[in-house]
Amino acid sequence: MKTFTDQLGNSHTFETTPKRIVSLVPSQTELLYDLGLEESIVGITKFCVHPFHFKSTKKIIGGTKKVHTEKIRLLQPDIIIANKEENTIEIVAELSEICPVWVTDIITLDDNLKMIEEFGILFNKRTEAQKWIDKINFGLKDFQNFIQGTESLKVAYFIWANPYMVAGNNTFINEMLKLNNFQNIYEDREERYPEVIIQKMRIQGDPDLVLLSSEPFPFTDEHAFELGRYTHHAKTVFVDGEMFSWYGSRLVKAFSYFKKLHESIV
């Protein structure tokens, strides 16, 4: 019997290494795959799009906010991987009656590295986990060297329209913005994803850049035009939301993406 503690401080005891995994978080599904756990993953959400072939080889158990409990029960999982932001307290409580639910809580880069390390220990994939930690640390150092000396730009990072919503403080997205030397004009908001009145953008920070995320909302040129009207001279850029909001192994690809993004906005 071994006892482990997740990122919310909850203790979980396992007789053996968990062999049947249900993942409720797209970025964590990708990480589990990259750690060499493809055969152990038995259930994923409809939003788990990486790797692509999982949608035809793994059981879809619903979304991140609404899951099919009975489908999960029939999969007889040893562990369910969830996240504090992506999944509700009610879902975690309900699924805890089936098996242990491991909840991650990722805001900073250190939180992300801790998650990878803990997955390595939990699933007996220490070597694989360390390889990804090393890759991320190398990519981070390289990107930090790249970003040195660049001009700090004020940004507004939009995630939704009708109503318009942005990424605020205490979010992984905001950490990625800071990494890019972007100053989030909505960082001082109490809400993590506040609704904003776009007509007030000028007086609330007047961004140099308006970033429109590819997920979860499908922004269009019309949205870009509308938002641009309420800034002085902001450049509106459509960005890959996965690169800003997906943690786990995705960061290795994100650093290269961020370099290209900076080159495109000069």
Side-chain angles (χ1 to χ4, degrees), residues 12 15-16 20-21 25 51 57 70 91 123 125-126 136 141 160-162 198 217 222 232 238 261:
H12 306 284
E15 292 186 11
T16 59
R20 296 182 63 81
I21 307 168
V25 185
T57 61
E70 194 54 34
I91 286 175
F123 297 112
K125 293 288 185 178
R126 291 173 178 82
I136 290 171
K141 185 176 181 179
W160 200 261
N162 305 317
I198 60 174
F217 186 86
E222 286 73 20
H232 277 113
F238 292 88
L261 175 63

Side-chain angles (χ1 to χ4, degrees), residues 8 51 76 88 128 199 202:
L8 291 190
Q76 298 181 307
T88 66
E128 291 82 355
Q199 290 83 354
R202 290 184 184 179

Side-chain angles (χ1 to χ4, degrees), residues 192-207:
R192 300 177 74 235
Y193 298 101
E195 292 184 22
V196 296
I197 300 172
I198 60 174
Q199 290 83 354
K200 294 184 177 181
M201 258 200 296
R202 290 184 184 179
I203 62 173
Q204 291 177 340
D206 198 20

Side-chain angles (χ1 to χ4, degrees), residues 125-255:
K125 293 288 185 178
R126 291 173 178 82
T127 301
E128 291 82 355
Q130 190 58 53
K131 287 180 181 178
W132 281 101
I133 290 171
D134 291 344
K135 286 180 182 180
I136 290 171
N137 282 330
F138 177 83
L140 173 61
K141 185 176 181 179
D142 177 67
F143 183 70
Q144 287 173 329
N145 289 333
F146 170 86
I147 207 71
Q148 276 186 350
T150 61
E151 180 185 1
S152 178
L153 298 174
K154 294 186 295 180
V155 304
Y157 187 101
F158 283 84
I159 64 165
W160 200 261
N162 305 317
Y164 277 109
M165 298 175 67
V166 296
N169 200 8
N170 293 318
T171 61
F172 190 71
I173 292 172
N174 192 55
E175 289 296 305
M176 293 299 99
L177 293 176
K178 289 192 287 187
L179 177 66
N180 280 276
N181 204 19
F182 294 151
Q183 179 188 344
N184 184 358
I185 67 169
Y186 295 111
E187 188 178 22
D188 60 347
R189 295 296 185 93
E190 292 184 7
E191 308 97 325
R192 300 177 74 235
Y193 298 101
E195 292 184 22
V196 296
I197 300 172
I198 60 174
Q199 290 83 354
K200 294 184 177 181
M201 258 200 296
R202 290 184 184 179
I203 62 173
Q204 291 177 340
D206 198 20
D208 303 303
L209 287 175
V210 172
L211 304 180
L212 303 184
S213 178
S214 61
E215 59 173 40
F217 186 86
F219 287 102
T220 65
D221 289 337
E222 286 73 20
H223 293 110
F225 177 75
E226 181 181 20
L227 289 164
R229 290 171 54 200
Y230 299 108
T231 69
H232 277 113
H233 302 289
K235 183 174 184 178
T236 303
V237 182
F238 292 88
V239 296
D240 187 339
E242 291 178 3
M243 299 301 178
F244 280 92
S245 64
W246 282 39
Y247 30 84
S249 47
R250 171 64 44 158
L251 273 175
V252 173
K253 297 178 181 177
F255 297 132

Side-chain angles (χ1 to χ4, degrees), residues 5 14 19 24 56 59 63 79 128 204 242:
T5 304
F14 302 92
K19 297 296 183 184
L24 305 182
S56 59
K59 185 72 174 180
I79 189 171
E128 291 82 355
Q204 291 177 340
E242 291 178 3

Side-chain angles (χ1 to χ4, degrees), residues 42-59:
V42 295
I44 60 173
T45 75
K46 62 184 178 181
F47 301 116
C48 295
V49 294
H50 301 295
F52 180 77
H53 67 275
F54 268 20
K55 70 175 186 178
S56 59
T57 61
K58 304 299 178 182
K59 185 72 174 180

